Amino acid sequence: QQQVKQSPQSLIVQKGGISIINCAYENTAFDYFPWYQQFPGKGPALLIAIRPDVSEKKEGRFTISFNKSAKQFSLHIMDSQPGDSATYFCAASKSFGNEKLTFGTGTRLTIIP
Amino acid sequence: GAVVSQHPSRVICKSGTSVKIECRSLDFQATTMFWYRQFPKQSLMLMATSNEGSKATYEQGVEKDKFLINHASLTLSTLTVTSAHPEDSSFYICSARWGRIYNEQFFGPGTRLTVL
């Protein structure tokens, strides 16, 4: 019940296109869903996060869509740029207390010119 | 804001020696810090949860005597890999919980440990 399934494992998108990464969770107690971006040799950086009281959150070119009934959430990167090439991890946890994050397996995104 | 640092960024040591990695929250107080291990092209594997002033909680399968964690202050947690062996070579990353309400965690830049 603690798993977070992430797909695809890798993704190649043309510059200017939309990159979409999907995650599904099982634990209905989860109510905090962040996305992290990680470049090679660096620590993950918090990109954007959402709670179930909204179905969508947008920050610049990054949008999280959330479907509570399906227990799914996704990251959309609009106007994808070569600098977005990185590994993206979704995660989930309870929002209160010192809860650990349950991470997805990661998606390696490559933006080609 | 919400900056987490780690030191050292890279360490090479001989088999059998101990290595200490520091994790600091620079501009906020973190009552909880987390230690992760990451193998190449894999996800983050949580090793332990560190609460200020109390013993760390280790994940199943993580040897607490090998990976000593100390969270002595609200801004500093340390991970000591004792009697390191080549199989301990990995990328170690800490995170600090920042959100007072939501579980926002900010990660350090990571420490690359190579044991010869």
Side-chain angles (χ1 to χ4, degrees):
Chain A
Q1 257 214 329
Q2 293 293 323
Q3 275 191 324
V4 175
K5 295 181 180 178
Q6 184 172 345
S7 64
Q9 189 174 2
S10 62
L11 180 62
I12 299 174
V13 175
Q14 208 140 26
K15 179 183 174 182
I18 303 173
S19 304
I20 302 174
I21 304 171
N22 301 298
C23 284
Y25 64 98
E26 299 172 353
N27 189 341
T28 54
F30 288 155
D31 59 355
Y32 173 70
F33 304 91
W35 284 89
Y36 286 87
Q37 178 190 57
Q38 185 179 31
F39 292 104
K42 306 294 183 184
L46 180 61
L47 200 57
I48 187 173
I50 197 169
R51 294 194 70 236
D53 47 351
V54 296
S55 60
E56 186 174 283
K57 183 175 181 180
K58 184 176 181 179
E59 288 184 2
R61 296 186 294 111
F62 301 93
T63 300
I64 299 180
S65 297
F66 183 81
N67 185 328
K68 188 174 180 178
S69 60
K71 293 188 286 185
Q72 295 175 346
F73 58 109
S74 60
L75 175 69
H76 295 233
I77 306 175
M78 313 299 286
D79 187 26
S80 299
Q81 299 297 312
D84 297 329
S85 297
T87 299
Y88 292 81
F89 293 97
C90 63
S93 78
K94 299 175 189 176
S95 57
F96 293 91
N98 297 324
E99 296 291 331
K100 60 185 179 182
L101 291 170
T102 299
F103 281 90
T105 49
T107 296
R108 178 170 288 195
L109 174 65
T110 303
I111 307 300
I112 55 175
Chain B
V3 178
V4 177
S5 72
Q6 271 184 253
H7 178 80
S9 58
R10 190 180 295 266
V11 57
I12 301 173
C13 69
K14 291 182 178 180
S15 184
T17 61
S18 293
V19 174
K20 180 184 282 189
I21 302 170
E22 291 187 349
C23 176
R24 293 181 185 272
S25 54
L26 297 185
D27 50 2
F28 65 101
Q29 293 183 332
T31 54
T32 305
M33 291 184 174
F34 303 84
W35 286 95
Y36 294 83
R37 185 172 179 177
Q38 188 178 35
F39 292 104
K41 299 183 181 180
Q42 292 190 23
S43 189
L44 295 94
M45 183 184 79
L46 180 67
M47 299 174 66
T49 301
S50 166
N51 291 297
E52 185 264 338
S54 62
K55 289 184 179 180
T57 302
Y58 291 82
E59 293 298 298
Q60 193 171 8
V62 177
E63 297 177 63
K64 60 180 67 175
D65 294 332
K66 180 162 192 64
F67 299 101
L68 300 179
I69 292 172
N70 183 274
H71 193 158
S73 77
L74 287 172
T75 59
L76 173 65
S77 176
T78 60
L79 167 68
T80 301
V81 183
T82 62
S83 185
H85 288 93
E87 58 266 29
D88 298 323
S89 297
S90 191
F91 192 51
Y92 292 89
I93 319 172
C94 70
S95 73
R97 185 174 184 273
W98 177 79
R100 282 170 291 178
I101 300 177
Y102 306 139
N103 192 17
E104 291 176 309
Q105 293 184 26
F106 292 89
F107 283 80
T111 296
R112 172 74 58 193
L113 170 64
T114 303
V115 185
L116 302 176

